[in-house]
Amino acid sequence: LLPHRMSWLHMIHGEAALNDIVLKSGDGVGLAHERCLSLTVQKDTEILLIDLDNEKPFGRSPGESSQ
């Protein structure tokens, strides 16, 4: 990942190994501060990788006005 970026990996269906973690349909994992990943997927596997902005990952900051 690029510096200051985060990602979410979601398994739509199938099976994959992320480094040493086995992921199955419906599983998800957050990724941050990773310089290198190994993703091995099985045949007929669908994944969704979402690139997130680490500056404001989930909307407004605490105490920030909605105006």
Side-chain angles (χ1 to χ4, degrees):
L1 300 175
L2 294 173
H4 308 293
R5 302 301 289 184
M6 298 182 333
S7 292
W8 180 261
L9 176 70
H10 188 81
M11 296 295 300
I12 304 298
H13 85 173
E15 185 174 314
L18 177 65
N19 295 337
D20 295 328
I21 302 168
V22 175
L23 302 170
K24 297 184 180 196
S25 297
D27 288 344
V29 62
L31 305 168
H33 309 292
E34 299 288 343
R35 295 190 70 202
C36 183
L37 295 170
S38 174
L39 180 65
T40 305
V41 299
Q42 301 297 320
K43 185 177 179 179
D44 298 326
T45 295
E46 290 183 65
I47 63 171
L48 176 63
L49 180 63
I50 302 169
D51 181 26
L52 302 170
D53 182 355
N54 195 23
E55 298 296 320
K56 285 188 173 181
F58 301 106
R60 293 190 302 266
S61 299
E64 185 177 29
S65 174
S66 61
Q67 297 177 357

